Amino acid sequence: MRNIVKIPLAVAGFMALATTFATAGQDSERAKIETVLQTYESALNASDTEKVMSVYAADGVFMPQNRPSQVGAKDIRNAYTGIFKAINLNIRFKLAEVRTIAPDWAFARSNSAGTITINATGKKKAAASQELFVLRKNTRGNWKIARYSFSTTLAPSS
Amino acid sequence: MRNIVKIPLAVAGFMALATTFATAGQDSERAKIETVLQTYESALNASDTEKVMSVYAADGVFMPQNRPSQVGAKDIRNAYTGIFKAINLNIRFKLAEVRTIAPDWAFARSNSAGTITINATGKKKAAASQELFVLRKNTRGNWKIARYSFSTTLAPSS
């Protein structure tokens, strides 16, 4: 009888431990992904194209509102260079969710708010957007933005 | 010698077969996802909210341009009802990619083009957008839209 009781307890203990490790592992991945998105936020606010590129996968796709989808590092770099020439961003991202869905894939959703300055005129306007990121962990173990779509949540100005 | 040659060939044969099955399985899942997105396209063009809802996960998130993110079936239904009251769509989706990234997760990217009619005025305008879908296979084996973000690719009108 003693053994019968002991074995399930040992199994339950192991399972609880395994669950703890799995959760801790996911939390650790989520923390890494949050750091990537914080780097992206700071790169946007610094108009720093190369810092932006550091968080993108080489075969990433950037889907900016009012422009066609930009596929691959060369086109993504050109798009951000153009955007940073036109505008200066001062925004904060608020994460709505970060979800790992495979060992090397995750997605994240956020809302951002702040101000956009039109560089040509110095005119400022309010900005509020929603973002959907698909992220992939590369062979070095670093999470990168693989696909990224966003849009304004503000009503059209016209 | 004969055995040495035969075993690797048998292994290679099995591996080729396994690869074929894996590819066929992925193709089959991709085909199912394409059908879901075709259903979504036809639901948009028919202004059919319930048909839209049939392709969404119950805990889905719809991220429409110019509106806040809509989380869950109730808010998603209200958003599409409002959109279909305001506009009538006549658009075609062109898939850019469909990628299964886990047994029950996938993402898809597309471009859409056509016309939007403003119901209040009857005025038509050109539409061109890019779409990013995250899809999840539910316990019944049906792929559903779990997250969906899109934005226009046209330059701002103002």
Side-chain angles (χ1 to χ4, degrees):
Chain A
M1 186 63 193
R2 194 179 290 170
N3 279 345
I4 292 168
V5 173
K6 270 186 183 166
I7 291 165
L9 279 177
V11 170
F14 173 77
M15 286 175 70
L17 205 64
T19 306
T20 305
F21 276 132
T23 307
Q26 281 176 10
D27 285 350
S28 156
E29 297 303 327
R30 274 201 292 267
K32 288 177 189 170
I33 290 165
E34 286 180 23
T35 301
V36 168
L37 298 178
Q38 283 161 5
T39 302
Y40 179 64
E41 176 194 86
S42 67
L44 285 184
N45 287 323
S47 298
D48 187 338
T49 299
E50 290 314 310
K51 194 171 180 178
V52 165
M53 297 312 295
S54 77
V55 293
Y56 261 96
D59 60 352
V61 181
F62 172 41
M63 302 167 69
Q65 185 180 320
N66 301 126
R67 291 164 188 249
S69 301
Q70 307 292 318
V71 180
K74 187 184 168 188
D75 287 354
I76 294 173
R77 179 179 278 110
N78 285 343
Y80 279 97
T81 301
I83 289 167
F84 293 148
K85 272 187 188 160
I87 61 171
N88 193 280
L89 292 163
N90 182 10
I91 57 170
R92 289 289 167 266
F93 282 81
K94 191 177 171 184
L95 278 173
E97 58 176 335
V98 176
R99 198 153 169 181
T100 52
I101 52 181
D104 56 346
W105 287 99
F107 69 81
R109 190 166 58 81
S110 60
N111 290 279
S112 63
T115 55
I116 295 176
T117 305
I118 313 297
N119 289 336
T121 61
K123 196 179 162 190
K124 288 178 194 293
K125 60 178 182 176
S129 294
Q130 54 201 338
E131 298 83 24
L132 179 60
F133 300 89
V134 176
L135 299 111
R136 188 175 199 180
K137 191 158 71 170
N138 68 15
T139 51
R140 293 180 185 182
N142 299 319
W143 287 97
K144 301 287 179 184
I145 297 170
R147 304 291 181 273
Y148 168 41
S149 169
F150 71 89
S151 69
T152 180
T153 56
L154 302 177
S157 51
S158 58
Chain B
M1 188 63 193
R2 192 178 292 168
N3 279 344
I4 292 168
V5 173
K6 269 186 183 166
I7 291 165
L9 278 179
V11 170
F14 173 76
M15 287 175 70
L17 204 63
T19 306
T20 305
F21 277 131
T23 307
Q26 282 175 10
D27 285 350
S28 156
E29 296 302 327
R30 273 201 292 267
K32 287 178 189 170
I33 291 165
E34 286 180 23
T35 302
V36 168
L37 298 177
Q38 283 160 6
T39 302
Y40 179 64
E41 177 196 85
S42 66
L44 285 184
N45 288 323
S47 298
D48 186 339
T49 300
E50 290 314 310
K51 194 171 181 178
V52 165
M53 297 312 295
S54 78
V55 294
Y56 261 96
D59 60 351
V61 182
F62 172 41
M63 301 167 69
Q65 186 180 320
N66 300 126
R67 288 166 190 249
S69 301
Q70 307 291 318
V71 180
K74 186 183 168 188
D75 286 354
I76 294 173
R77 179 180 279 109
N78 285 342
Y80 279 96
T81 301
I83 289 167
F84 293 148
K85 272 187 189 161
I87 61 171
N88 193 279
L89 292 162
N90 183 9
I91 57 171
R92 289 289 167 265
F93 280 82
K94 190 177 173 184
L95 278 174
E97 59 177 333
V98 176
R99 197 153 170 181
T100 52
I101 52 181
D104 56 347
W105 287 98
F107 69 81
R109 190 166 58 81
S110 59
N111 289 280
S112 64
T115 55
I116 294 175
T117 306
I118 314 296
N119 289 337
T121 62
K123 195 179 163 190
K124 288 179 194 291
K125 60 177 182 176
S129 295
Q130 54 200 337
E131 297 84 23
L132 179 60
F133 300 89
V134 176
L135 300 110
R136 186 172 200 182
K137 191 158 70 171
N138 67 16
T139 51
R140 293 180 185 180
N142 299 317
W143 288 97
K144 300 288 178 184
I145 298 170
R147 304 290 180 275
Y148 168 41
S149 168
F150 72 88
S151 69
T152 180
T153 57
L154 302 176
S157 53
S158 58

